[in-house]
Amino acid sequence: MITRDHVLDALRRVQDPELNKDLVTLNMIKDVAITDGRVRIGVELTTPACPLKDKIQADVNREVKRIEGVREVEIEWSAQVRATVKSASQLPGVRNVVAVGAGKGGVGKSTIAVLLAAGLQRAGARVGLMDADVYGPSIPKMLGVEHERPGVRGEKIVPVERHGIALLSIGFMVESERAIIWRGPMVHGVVKQFLDQVDWGELDYLIVDLPPGTGDVPLTLSQAIPLTGAVVVCTPQEVAQLDAVRALRMYQQLNVDILGMVENMSYFIAPDTGREYDIFGRGTIEKTAARLKVPYLGAIPLNIAIRSGGDDGNPLAAFERTDPRTREAVEAFVKNTAGQISIRNVLRPAKLELKIT
């Protein structure tokens, strides 16, 4: 007779390929039901955007079917995003805060932040997007909400919601063409307001679009926000890579985990021939990530649908209106980032947050 213990013993031979621990030890097995040789298993992933779900499924099927008498294996998937912060005084419902930064402007940092937020939301996660690029707040335009304003509930600001993403930006609070000329303390005050006075609700991921560079603004923001980790964006040129490494070193000096580097505008796929052109020198960032011993999250091509989606306020264009190779590249980046967040949260204990004053 097949028993629950037989199934659990088999599942102890199945490891999460990224976490390098078995599913039982990771508490990912939530249910086992056995009926006439048919085994139904509830598997709870650490992120709905799991990059290796297909491998886990194949390994579970292989190991459980080795049990004598098992005729069929059915997996019921669920996901529970693990949290970085154990006790959040500023962001009580937010499980993970992910900074998206760059060493210089013009590398598509805001585009990457929007693609990451949209991709995680499409996978089933609860996502917020904080536009902390106070000097160049472009996120409202990229989500098509530049003419909207946040609401108020009691003493809390309520973010604008579009495409299933909760969004807050300084762009909602100033005229669209007005230059923001602020010193560090004023920026710090706005960030505190975004943390202390905003009702973000229950979020699996809060993506923070940081200003470029290693100056006062990203320094203040990195210290003010309880970060899960940082994603560093760069284009392939060696000149851009130099600035990206400086940004990465800044996060490391601030004890912020590096989730990885992503190469944006990596190559161009000609729509008429399908041929790939390495306009800016593809592959530089993958080599840099290997040299620095940080994860490489992927390469995003230079693509018309991604550009027009940003201009039109439709981030889903990168997933729904583009060619298969571009869509696969974007989805791979999102899944790789989600995987790195899970690795960080499972292998390192959640930390207590210190309230910033």
Side-chain angles (χ1 to χ4, degrees):
M1 179 182 296
I2 307 167
T3 67
R4 175 185 173 87
D5 287 341
H6 291 147
V7 176
L8 291 178
D9 286 342
L11 294 173
R12 287 188 177 92
R13 298 192 296 269
V14 178
Q15 287 199 333
D16 184 295
E18 288 188 311
L19 303 176
N20 295 319
K21 293 184 179 181
D22 69 85
L23 303 188
V24 178
T25 299
L26 290 169
N27 197 30
M28 293 172 63
I29 305 303
K30 298 302 177 182
D31 182 51
V32 175
I34 305 162
T35 306
D36 296 329
R38 181 169 175 261
V39 180
R40 186 178 72 252
I41 305 167
V43 179
E44 182 181 84
L45 301 172
T46 56
T47 172
C50 180
L52 295 170
K53 178 179 176 181
D54 291 342
K55 167 136 180 73
I56 293 174
Q57 180 171 358
D59 290 349
V60 168
N61 272 288
R62 183 188 66 248
E63 295 300 332
V64 175
K65 284 184 177 179
R66 288 180 175 178
I67 302 171
E68 184 178 355
V70 172
R71 296 183 294 103
E72 182 181 352
V73 178
E74 178 184 345
I75 302 176
E76 294 183 353
W77 299 100
S78 61
Q80 178 69 28
V81 177
R82 309 286 176 95
T84 295
V85 181
K86 186 182 296 183
S87 177
S89 56
Q90 293 171 306
L91 303 168
V94 178
R95 293 179 174 271
N96 295 281
V97 182
V98 178
V100 178
K104 65 188 294 292
V107 299
K109 169 184 55 60
S110 296
T111 296
I112 293 297
V114 168
L115 292 179
L116 179 57
L120 291 170
Q121 194 281 330
R122 288 181 80 251
R126 300 166 296 181
V127 182
L129 182 55
M130 180 193 294
D131 185 2
D133 190 351
V134 294
Y135 299 131
S138 56
I139 300 295
K141 169 69 174 176
M142 299 179 74
L143 263 67
V145 291
E146 65 267 37
H147 301 300
E148 297 190 23
R149 295 294 178 268
V152 177
R153 183 184 301 121
E155 298 181 352
K156 295 283 189 176
I157 300 171
V158 180
V160 173
E161 184 170 325
R162 180 61 61 90
H163 305 295
I165 301 169
L167 168 66
L168 195 62
S169 169
I170 191 64
F172 292 134
M173 304 171 190
V174 297
E175 297 176 6
S176 61
E177 297 184 357
R178 176 186 170 187
I180 300 175
I181 309 173
W182 288 352
R183 294 187 184 274
M186 296 181 68
V187 174
H188 183 75
V190 170
V191 174
K192 272 193 90 290
Q193 184 179 28
F194 282 6
L195 294 173
D196 293 339
Q197 300 178 25
V198 176
D199 183 3
W200 286 104
E202 297 290 329
L203 296 179
D204 296 312
Y205 306 98
L206 176 60
I207 311 301
V208 182
D209 181 28
L210 290 176
T214 60
D216 182 75
V217 174
L219 172 62
T220 301
L221 294 171
S222 297
Q223 293 175 329
I225 299 172
L227 293 174
T228 300
V231 173
V232 178
V233 184
C234 190
T235 50
Q237 302 101 307
E238 292 188 11
V239 173
Q241 169 209 294
L242 293 174
D243 291 325
V245 172
R246 294 186 183 101
L248 186 147
R249 294 304 191 197
M250 177 195 69
Y251 291 120
Q252 290 178 330
Q253 290 178 30
L254 295 169
N255 294 318
V256 175
D257 289 340
I258 304 299
L259 297 174
M261 302 182 75
V262 56
E263 185 172 273
N264 192 31
M265 294 182 272
S266 177
Y267 55 96
F268 173 71
I269 303 173
D272 52 347
T273 65
R275 182 177 176 182
E276 296 182 4
Y277 294 88
D278 300 340
I279 297 174
F280 299 119
R282 179 179 180 179
T284 306
I285 303 308
E286 184 174 10
K287 296 176 183 177
T288 301
R291 177 174 64 84
L292 298 175
K293 295 181 173 57
V294 299
Y296 174 65
L297 301 176
I300 308 298
L302 185 65
N303 182 267
I304 294 174
I306 293 177
R307 190 276 307 163
S308 63
D311 288 344
D312 299 339
N314 179 21
L316 301 182
F319 303 92
E320 299 173 352
R321 294 196 336 225
T322 189
D323 62 276
R325 278 182 288 176
T326 298
R327 182 174 63 253
E328 289 172 5
V330 174
E331 290 178 343
F333 156 66
V334 172
K335 290 179 179 179
N336 289 340
T337 305
Q340 288 301 318
I341 294 170
S342 293
I343 291 171
R344 186 253 172 267
N345 289 340
V346 170
L347 301 184
R348 294 183 58 181
K351 57 187 177 182
L352 289 173
E353 176 196 346
L354 298 178
K355 184 175 177 62
I356 303 297
T357 58

